[in-house]
Amino acid sequence: MFQEIAAQIAFSPSFPYLATALGITSIGGLLGWGWWQRKNTYKSLELLPCPPKHWLLGNLPQVLAAVKQKKFFQLLFDWSKQLGPIYVLWINPPVLVLSQPKVIENTIVNGIKDGSLGRCKQLRQVFNDLAGAPVLIGENGTEWQWRRKAWNPQFNSSGLSKYFEIINLACEQVIARLLQDAPQTEVKVDFLFVELTMRVIFCLVVGIPVDGKSSSSEGPPLDILKAHEAMSIIGYRVLRLFAGEKIWMKYLPTKASRDYWRAMAYLEGLIGPRVELALKMRAQNPTNWGQVSPNFQESMLVKIAAKEPKYTRKTLIAEAIEILIAGTDTTAHTLSFAVAELALNARVFQKAQAVVDQSWQSNGGINTESLKKLTYISAIIKETLRLYSVASGSTSLEAEGETVIEGNLIPRGTIISWSILGAGRDPEVYGNPEEFWPERWLDQGKGSSPLPMITFGSGSHRCLGEHLAMVEATVMLAMLLRYFDWELVNGRSSVEQLEQNLLIYPSDGMPVRFKPRDLQCIEETY
């Protein structure tokens, strides 16, 4: 009987309409069930403020629109000003956004320490797919620990002291080019600094000569334009994955996929031969490799390969690409904003030049000892990072179980993120937060606790390259102050018209007009 009824329904003229209605009802039921389940799971978060949201899609439309307009970090900052230091974005899963420095710092440190928070699973998948193999930033627990242990000595202060000569040479090359070209033309310093940081990081990590002229038998030469384009393509793919693109879509016959594979082929062709050589040197006695250049023998790649046997060709290439990308644009954009703020703040500019001139007079230039005395220049870099927070969106955490943050019950699966722009402008921590005042970093400790510096992260996962970035930026800025005066071609709009993807950067490339100083007159003054 049931078969007969089913047959009658199937052959009825109204069957297609009935099937469609049933399909829509089923989909609606599944969506409704999913919505109810999420609402019940994250019920405690409804007590927190949130931006106005769509009844079904939550805050997803606003987030996607901000990513497309390259204004996502500005949106988080604006919401922080409107909603306070802790609020919720209703996407799937919900995101808890923090914007107070101490709260961010304590949440990261304590959460990772007690295991209540871990790196977001989705972001780990994204970063581990960055170059097709697991990398440091995409791992947790023991898989993270052995990688971090291998790289730590290469980036700590004692490890970098012997690389000072490389950093100094790269900065001197920038000065020489500006002395030759600057009087006749405007210079977009953002890409000038990108070239600087690329030459330094490629020399330190894979041993490519920093001067760009010396030949290297270990592999192809560095083509700045091609390498930066390739790294930018990979970085943009990460942004698309953050915004919802699926990892498997890189296999589709689209322009974005073709660009990605072309970028990966270039970087693997540049790095691969050097990785293979480093692994051969690991397997044999390094003293028998006299034909290998000193630069390569001293590179991080050779030392990491020798120290950590778990690295294979594939994972070492992926790790090198991760470090090279992380060590390029971040420091370059920070230098651009520092140059801009000095041009816009005559008092700070004059004081900084006086500090550099005095150091130069005492030491005949910049060396590892005089660098320690350039605390005011380092304070300028820190103040720049506070205001612009170039690397504002590189990571987030996920609640591994129910936890409590600032007295609020946070359900398992909630993503914990932060507005670094908002944290850097917290008036309770940084007095007159919109003012560019480097002295705030020198005055700390006089009866007050140190100011939080969370741009580099916090706890055991704090940025690996923090010391390198500070040394590189301090040396370059000090040299510019010694040899030039300058002004912004576009004025304040250069620091107001910004773009934001994974990083924050000047959309106009930061055009600057440099004027060489009369050093003979300055030396006579001292």
Side-chain angles (χ1 to χ4, degrees), residues 282-322:
R282 177 174 76 183
Q284 302 176 26
N285 187 349
T287 59
N288 297 330
W289 296 85
Q291 76 276 20
V292 175
S293 68
N295 263 336
F296 187 71
Q297 291 186 47
E298 289 298 313
S299 70
M300 295 181 184
L301 187 64
V302 169
K303 294 176 180 178
I304 292 294
K307 180 179 180 179
E308 184 44 74
K310 293 181 183 178
Y311 274 121
T312 63
R313 180 186 185 276
K314 185 175 182 179
T315 57
L316 203 47
I317 288 176
E319 202 80 277
I321 290 174
E322 172 204 14

Side-chain angles (χ1 to χ4, degrees), residues 322-344:
E322 172 204 14
I323 299 294
L324 293 170
I325 290 176
T328 298
D329 285 356
T330 47
T331 307
H333 299 330
T334 299
L335 271 166
S336 296
F337 289 125
V339 163
E341 284 295 341
L342 285 172
L344 295 169

Side-chain angles (χ1 to χ4, degrees), residues 95-376:
V95 177
L96 184 75
V97 181
L98 311 173
S99 62
Q100 283 186 326
K102 281 296 183 183
V103 173
I104 295 172
E105 192 170 55
N106 292 338
T107 298
I108 295 173
V109 172
N110 296 333
I112 292 177
K113 185 177 180 179
D114 64 21
S116 60
L117 301 178
R119 279 183 166 167
C120 174
K121 295 181 183 66
Q122 181 183 358
L123 295 191
R124 288 177 57 204
Q125 291 174 349
V126 168
F127 284 123
N128 281 338
D129 190 66
L130 183 75
V135 292
L136 178 67
I137 198 172
E139 291 299 319
N140 263 338
T142 56
E143 285 299 309
W144 169 81
Q145 288 169 359
W146 68 260
R147 289 173 169 85
R148 181 76 182 209
K149 186 178 180 181
W151 286 97
N152 262 342
Q154 313 306 320
F155 282 98
N156 63 27
S157 56
S158 59
L160 280 170
S161 60
K162 57 182 172 292
Y163 299 136
F164 180 83
E165 184 179 342
I166 291 171
I167 295 170
N168 202 56
L169 176 59
C171 293
E172 286 176 345
Q173 290 175 184
V174 172
I175 297 300
R177 184 189 303 184
L178 289 176
L179 286 172
Q180 179 180 341
D181 300 338
Q184 289 81 34
T185 185
E186 300 168 358
V187 178
K188 289 189 175 182
V189 296
D190 200 51
F191 192 76
L192 183 73
F193 294 144
V194 165
E195 182 172 348
L196 163 76
T197 54
M198 282 186 69
R199 291 200 183 281
V200 169
I201 197 68
F202 271 84
C203 184
L204 295 182
V205 175
V206 296
I208 298 178
V210 76
D211 60 14
K213 300 175 183 177
S214 304
S215 60
S216 172
S217 61
E218 295 85 28
L222 173 63
D223 185 315
I224 295 292
L225 290 176
K226 285 185 178 179
H228 189 252
E229 180 190 20
M231 292 192 296
S232 297
I233 287 169
I234 292 173
Y236 184 57
R237 179 170 178 271
V238 172
L239 179 66
R240 297 200 312 274
L241 291 171
F242 284 175
E245 182 176 304
K246 303 301 181 184
I247 287 176
W248 52 263
M249 291 177 71
K250 67 182 179 182
Y251 298 108
L252 296 178
T254 63
K255 182 181 183 303
S257 296
R258 290 193 296 272
D259 287 345
Y260 168 76
W261 291 113
R262 175 171 54 84
M264 283 301 303
Y266 172 78
L267 291 175
E268 187 165 345
L270 179 65
I271 300 167
R274 293 175 165 89
V275 168
E276 291 163 7
L277 180 56
L279 292 174
K280 287 180 182 178
M281 292 173 69
R282 177 174 76 183
Q284 302 176 26
N285 187 349
T287 59
N288 297 330
W289 296 85
Q291 76 276 20
V292 175
S293 68
N295 263 336
F296 187 71
Q297 291 186 47
E298 289 298 313
S299 70
M300 295 181 184
L301 187 64
V302 169
K303 294 176 180 178
I304 292 294
K307 180 179 180 179
E308 184 44 74
K310 293 181 183 178
Y311 274 121
T312 63
R313 180 186 185 276
K314 185 175 182 179
T315 57
L316 203 47
I317 288 176
E319 202 80 277
I321 290 174
E322 172 204 14
I323 299 294
L324 293 170
I325 290 176
T328 298
D329 285 356
T330 47
T331 307
H333 299 330
T334 299
L335 271 166
S336 296
F337 289 125
V339 163
E341 284 295 341
L342 285 172
L344 295 169
N345 292 274
R347 179 195 66 82
V348 178
F349 198 128
Q350 292 165 10
K351 182 175 179 178
Q353 271 191 336
V355 167
V356 171
D357 288 341
Q358 186 174 9
S359 175
W360 219 277
Q361 186 68 20
S362 302
N363 300 281
I366 301 177
N367 53 45
T368 53
E369 287 303 312
S370 64
L371 186 63
K372 298 175 184 177
K373 300 175 184 177
L374 294 176
T375 54
Y376 191 65

